[in-house]
Amino acid sequence: MTKSARQPGAALAEDLVQPFQVDRGDVRGRLVRLSASIDQILASHAYPEPVANLLGELLVVAAATAGAFKFHGSLSLQTSSDGPVPLMIAEYRAQPEESRGAMPGRARLRGYARCDAGKVMEALAAASPSASVMETVLGKGSLAFNVESGPSAEHYQGIIAIVGPTIVESVHDYFRRSEQIDAALRVDVGRAPNGQWQAGGVLLQRMPRPGLAERSDDDWRRALALVGSSGRADFLNPGLDPRGMLQRMFPEDDVRVFDPVSVEAQCRCSRDRVDSVLRSFPPEEIAEMVVDGEITVTCEFCNHRYLFLPQDLGLPKQLGLNETH
Ligand SMILES: [Zn+2]
């Protein structure tokens, strides 16, 4: 049975983070469902399928683990490694509670992978059968958690090693070592029959209950088993209502749901930002960027192209044209 702790606002059913609590065992969690948002992020680049899958996994991990840190700001996860995808970033920005009042929570998601598609396919073709896709594509390296919190913009950074076979396994390794976070994670990424990217996941966190350690251990293991045995299809089904999904996951428990946070894909780039970055360069360097009388800047995250003419930046019109003569 699911019940609301508070009446949730009108949330999108398909792109959201649904916080919940399982009364037995005091287990808290965050259910993540991403549909249009993750499709927009993954489809805006021509990533090889295994790279899109890995980036999708990182995006769900960001949305799910954001609740494990006590913050209302942004969490970014960044891989840095020696494989054919040397860098991936997933960024989850929650709207601060103080700025939204009684409005439903919203969060923005963006991410990208730096990737040479040809090298990725070569590496996968040459990989030993025992190596996972993540090990082959990312190689050896680290995963950094950057947390920026609240109006005072406090920073926290944690860096962990990438350990196979998946990103989720690397994060589990981190949770196991961490004394503050007793948590487990499950993530699924795939395509719907219409080709659209879908993803889902659950972060479970155990709330300490003094004096009941033994029973609490049993309840915790049971919750982990229930989440682990849930069908992948449920996580990838945008039509399944999150409450219905939690009910199927914990059929014998009271599950309390809190206000959901709706998630959308949104980049932070803008013409103004690109403009001020360009103006910070010396004119000779800007001249080198001019091709056919124009400067093109492409955002690595959302792949949006910004076009500038030299005169937009207060420079002579003819700038950069002399080399083509
Ligand atoms: Zn952008």
Side-chain angles (χ1 to χ4, degrees):
M1 183 180 108
T2 57
K3 56 188 175 189
S4 280
R6 278 194 286 164
Q7 206 50 40
L12 299 169
E14 298 187 356
D15 290 82
L16 56 72
V17 176
Q18 173 67 70
F20 64 90
Q21 180 165 352
V22 184
D23 282 355
R24 191 188 324 187
D26 292 336
V27 173
R28 260 190 223 170
R30 279 162 73 88
L31 172 70
V32 177
R33 311 281 308 273
L34 301 175
S35 187
S37 59
I38 203 158
D39 187 63
Q40 188 179 328
I41 295 170
L42 299 181
S44 65
H45 295 263
Y47 295 128
E49 201 80 355
V51 175
N53 252 300
L54 272 179
L55 180 57
E57 189 180 339
L58 195 67
L59 287 159
V60 179
V61 171
T65 56
F69 301 95
K70 290 184 181 63
F71 85 105
H72 297 283
S74 76
L75 167 70
S76 85
L77 300 182
Q78 182 174 335
T79 63
S80 168
S81 57
D82 64 4
V85 175
L87 178 87
M88 287 201 306
I89 299 182
E91 194 184 271
Y92 176 89
R93 280 168 292 137
Q95 186 188 15
E97 247 167 62
E98 56 274 16
S99 76
R100 66 179 169 90
M103 299 292 283
R106 299 185 82 83
R108 307 195 192 315
L109 197 61
R110 69 173 185 168
Y112 79 93
R114 192 168 291 160
C115 154
D116 179 327
K119 284 189 185 156
V120 168
M121 299 325 277
E122 265 171 42
L124 286 168
S128 95
S130 62
S132 73
V133 169
M134 184 200 79
E135 288 162 311
T136 305
V137 168
L138 297 188
K140 290 192 169 45
S142 59
L143 171 63
F145 287 73
N146 287 294
V147 178
E148 217 172 89
S149 189
S152 51
E154 290 161 51
H155 281 71
Y156 160 82
Q157 192 184 51
I159 297 183
I160 63 176
I162 295 173
V163 287
T166 61
I167 292 168
V168 167
E169 243 335 289
S170 308
V171 177
H172 269 164
D173 189 60
Y174 171 66
F175 286 157
R176 278 193 290 267
R177 291 154 194 263
S178 162
E179 287 175 6
Q180 285 100 39
I181 303 173
D182 200 356
L185 190 62
R186 172 196 171 138
V187 172
D188 288 281
V189 180
R191 284 184 188 269
N194 66 1
Q196 183 172 315
W197 285 99
Q198 298 285 339
V202 170
L203 174 84
L204 280 187
Q205 262 185 292
R206 180 183 180 176
M207 300 295 120
R209 219 167 22 155
L212 288 171
E214 206 172 293
R215 215 190 107 196
S216 163
D217 279 352
D218 288 347
D219 287 341
W220 175 240
R221 276 194 288 270
R222 185 176 152 274
L224 292 182
L226 289 172
V227 169
S229 62
S230 297
R232 175 177 155 86
D234 278 8
F235 283 87
L236 300 180
N237 177 1
L240 192 58
D241 160 63
R243 288 195 201 191
M245 196 174 156
L246 288 168
Q247 214 155 25
R248 282 159 69 130
M249 216 180 283
F250 302 100
E252 293 167 16
D253 298 288
D254 279 343
V255 179
R256 206 180 290 267
V257 295
F258 302 93
D259 286 351
V261 176
S262 68
V263 178
E264 60 186 325
Q266 200 183 82
C267 198
R268 281 157 91 165
C269 68
S270 69
R271 190 173 172 87
D272 280 353
R273 279 185 190 225
V274 178
D275 185 287
S276 57
V277 170
L278 286 174
R279 282 173 197 269
S280 70
F281 288 108
E284 333 57 277
E285 282 186 35
I286 301 181
E288 284 169 18
M289 300 176 199
V290 177
V291 176
D292 295 334
E294 287 178 336
I295 298 159
T296 310
V297 178
T298 305
C299 174
E300 277 189 302
F301 279 94
C302 65
N303 223 10
H304 187 86
R305 279 156 47 98
Y306 294 94
L307 284 181
F308 289 85
L309 300 170
Q311 58 267 38
D312 295 339
L313 302 164
L315 297 167
K317 241 186 195 173
Q318 297 78 11
L319 193 72
L321 285 180
N322 17 357
E323 307 132 59
T324 60
H325 287 199

